[in-house]
Amino acid sequence: MKKNINILIWITILFISIRANAQDTKPLIQSTLNGVVVDQVTNQPIPGVNIQIKGITHNAMTDMDGKFYFQTGQKFPYTLIVSYIGYETQEYIANTDYVQISLKESRTELDELVIIGYGSTTKKDYTGAAENVSSTALKATQRSLESSLQGSVAGVNVTQTSGQPGAGLSIRVRGGSSIQGGNEPLYVIDGFPIYNSEITSGVLSGTPTNPLSSINPSDIESITVLKDASSTAIYGSRGANGVIIIKTKKGSSTAMTVNYDFTIGQQQVRNKVDVLDAKGFANLRNAALYDTNPTLGTNQYLSDAQIAALGKGVDWQEEAFQKGITQNHQLSILGGNNQTKYAVSGNYYNQEGVIKNTGFERLSVRVNLDSKISSNARFGLNLTISETNAKVAPAGLITSLLSMPPTATIYEPDGSYTLRNPFENIFANPIATLNERKNEAITDRVLGTIYGEYDLLKDLVLKVSFGSDLIFNKEKSYLPSTIYEGLITNGESKIGTTDSKTWLNENTLTYSKIFGEKHSLNVLLGYTQQHSTREFVTSGSQQFVNDITYYYSLQSGNVALIPSSGESTWALNSYLSRVNYNYNSKYYLTASLRADGSSRFGQNNKWGYFPSFALAWQISNEDFFSSLKNVINSLKIRSSYGATGNQEIGEYQSLATLSSVKYLFGDQIFTGFTPTRISNDDLGWELTKQFDAGIDVGFFDDKLNLTADVYRKTTENLLLAVQIPHTTGFTSSLQNYGSVQNQGIELGINASLGNTSFSWTSNFNIAFNDNKIIALGNDAEFYTFGNYILKKGESLGTFYGAITDGILQPADIATKGAYTGNATPKAGDRLYKDINGDGAFTTAADRTSIGDAQPDFIFGFTNTFTYRGFELSTLINGSVGNKILNGNAQALELYNGQQNASTSASDAWTPTNPSTTTPRAKLDPAPVFSDRFVEDGSFVRIKNITFSYNLPKKFSEKLLLNAVKFRVIGENLFTFTKYTGYDPEVTNGTTISPGTDTGIYPATKTISGGLIITF
């Protein structure tokens, strides 16, 4: 194929040459020139490079081997201008008929283009706060596109909600603002806006699959994060939480190139939670039984001899965990000509979970096409089709692994499973659950847009696009009769399907004009409409004759479960406008306005209006600045203010609703309906107003760049369920009450150094954010939600519990016994502080704020080193100051002898071991949530290390290949933290209760290797 393409290229060049000669009967050819253009670092050829002779229009373009050819009337020597996107433009003097030109990669050029809402601009002309994800971060992961945001963009906090393969990430751009509405950013993929909500019918037990996991990260060309209101207001009611714009790879006007990218690796649990072995547990149970009834002696469970013979017992974590294999295969074909450009790719990704019988598979195909129909008309298509298959760890599995006593066995002597914990606390045998339970989710997705552009006038462009996002999700669950969960029902099978269908139509007019060489104007007008429908159906049955058919034969069950179904719909109509103006590339103005009409809100508040404006001054373009250009080559200050909204509350929240109920009348069961929600015709948007001021500075010809922003973001009219009079028949109603404020500082530093053989690029970012509740509804001072409190003046995610104060000793029972919370205090009980000063401790009255999940600051540090064909890149990220509720530790420190416990139980208080930190063992403790279980979640992590080597051109050619690249990748290899759980980068993902770590699938570390082949 390569040989045929080369022949075709040379025939084309020859044809053009012959045609040119035929038109000019007196050729004035003075010279011919052959050449090749290569990458300065890798020495690999670069196709598609433009070469022009300075002073004339004669130019050429390199073929797939980086080669070019000239016939020209110019005499040697003459100057060539060599340019290509992503490389520094170079002037090269040609003295002979053959030249080899080396181009240096330009970080500035790569970062220059900023993709914004409904368009693009250059970084130097941009007035808002937006940041591109570096190419290093984009290449660092193959799991999900959100992973590339970790530590890459200042002010973007990315936290893992679960280590389950295919699970999602929680992303906060400049802090969370909504209490009960959505806090995730809006994603715009090739122009299609998506809010990443879970698609589930509720059949699955465990973490639902992340819908964005269907997008292949290897297809992504760029990710831009829009942060301030000037950037996001163009998305109006969906811009309050930031906007992440994703552009996938396009074709090029060069010869076809084929790339195959293969990676295989192994992952394992980052660490295990320390729990007692069989001997330790037996001693604990003896101590708990003795504490309850000392008259029966100290060895009520097992004798000392029996304990000595136990060994370590069953390590339930070890039995469940494994080293999982990951593999990724990517085949992409890119090419085109001056008229049509295409990019086609196929991907297969398979990740075995570190917990047995869990995993995630993705199969996807993408086609991107851009075609120039005529001189004033263009057409484009972006289409991805994917299928994912997730085998999900059932809910509660991790809790069971940690709590199951090591003296319990996996199997009975007859080979059947031990069904459950043999003691008073009932939880199922987790290994039986893993081996036998079926828990699977399959998702098919078709996401595509098609557009047409037409130049109505020279400076006026009409663009019309249509898109659709079709998601078909099926969840299947089967509980066999051989495990504890399916024993009572004699087998239970459930199937649920959820279909989500969204269509989009966007129509924009863009006018661009330069007046008098100094006035630049760009005007955007548009109308968009989006509609979405989601349907679900579930069914199931119980009492199966055998477990052979799983969920493939619901009719084989003797008892049918009540089926369920439902449908919800929402629609959004929008008008948008934006004006960009700059004078002489010095003074910039941006103003935008969007009007959104949403079906989700009350009939009196259907429409919201979201304006923004921004100003910038490119000081470095002033005449008086010229003396500083040798040091500070660019200096821009900017400021913006605007309003954005949040509509993520679900459907029908403003309407009165009914739910069906079953009731017994006589001896028959009837179906009726009961009111479940009161209407609110005035329910409206959460409105976020944001001010931003920033500075961008470039030093030493942009080899060192600094960006700094300060912002204040205030969200008003919070969507909050507040108490209403009981005479209404309801206890609460969703209202617009209260406000939350986020304010902070962001700093980014980029540096680039190097020469012809060595280069070093570095990116450091750090962000400080202060989150605070300004007001709550109905003049309330606070609301409590379990172990959390919402309180004026404090942060979202504030923990609410008791403060520990040591261990009660025998001599202090009379004076301090009232501070244990027990009716009959006993030596060895934990003491708590009396917060309200009434002389006693009670759980309800003596709780207080004991820390919050908001970090003081987050940071990321990326470095890339290249030397000839070698490349080393590292990504370090961290979070400082955030707290984590270690729910696993709370359960493991009950010391009740009915379930396993933390190894700290070996220091439990006894008369012979009067511990001042660890309470006594007791059979029936009353759990108290306290600061003991709120831990420092700060961490520093070497997120990614990638080492790669480009095979020299002469060797790859011997293999009949254009290029070969080998690489080794390490992910999450080293983490420095004081947190005692599985991993500090954890949250359950909600705004009210972030930073909770209870039974979450543990994080992993991975080492993989692979190669990239270019044909």
Side-chain angles (χ1 to χ4, degrees), residues 2 50 149 207 238 248 266 295 310 492 516 527 539 580 650 728 743 776 810 830 852 855 877 896-897 935 962 992 995:
K2 173 183 171 184
N50 185 69
L149 296 170
T207 305
R238 295 179 289 182
T248 58
Q266 186 179 80
T295 60
L310 283 175
E492 179 182 271
Y527 169 71
S539 60
N580 289 310
T728 63
Q743 57 184 357
L776 294 168
R830 193 183 291 280
D852 64 79
N877 72 309
N896 58 12
E935 299 185 28
N962 278 348
I992 293 177

Side-chain angles (χ1 to χ4, degrees), residues 543-619:
Q543 299 295 330
F544 286 84
V545 176
N546 56 55
D547 296 319
I548 296 175
T549 58
Y550 299 139
Y551 31 63
Y552 297 113
S553 181
L554 295 181
Q555 65 273 20
S556 298
N558 292 321
V559 177
L561 300 176
I562 297 175
S564 64
S565 64
E567 178 182 286
S568 62
T569 301
W570 64 266
L572 188 70
N573 284 354
S574 308
Y575 299 90
L576 57 97
S577 62
R578 181 175 60 215
V579 176
N580 289 310
Y581 168 79
N582 85 71
Y583 173 74
N584 203 22
S585 297
K586 296 179 182 179
Y587 315 111
Y588 297 83
L589 167 68
T590 299
S592 69
L593 175 65
R594 177 161 177 149
D596 277 340
S598 174
S599 64
R600 289 179 169 176
F601 293 95
Q603 61 181 359
N604 299 332
N605 265 321
K606 290 292 185 187
W607 284 88
Y609 302 91
F610 307 96
S612 77
F613 65 90
L615 298 170
W617 179 21
Q618 191 77 36
I619 303 173

Side-chain angles (χ1 to χ4, degrees), residues 107-108 111 123 130-132 134 151-155 227 638 695-700 702-709 745-753 760-768 858-864 874-876:
R107 185 200 56 78
T108 303
D111 293 343
K123 192 168 186 179
E131 191 170 345
N132 289 340
S134 68
S152 301
V153 178
K227 297 185 284 187
R638 48 188 167 75
I695 183 171
D696 303 317
V697 189
F699 300 90
F700 313 115
D702 278 336
K703 289 182 172 59
L704 177 65
N705 291 271
L706 181 147
T707 297
D709 284 86
I745 301 172
E746 298 170 352
L747 177 66
I749 301 173
N750 299 296
S752 179
L753 301 171
W760 172 25
T761 59
S762 183
N763 174 291
F764 175 77
N765 68 80
I766 189 169
F768 302 82
I858 55 176
F859 67 90
F861 189 30
T862 303
N863 287 277
T864 300
T874 62
L875 170 59
I876 300 172

Side-chain angles (χ1 to χ4, degrees), residues 18 26 82 202 221 227 273 483 781 825 864:
I18 293 172
K26 296 180 179 180
V82 187
E221 180 178 273
K227 297 185 284 187
V273 174
I483 65 175
E781 290 296 318
T864 300

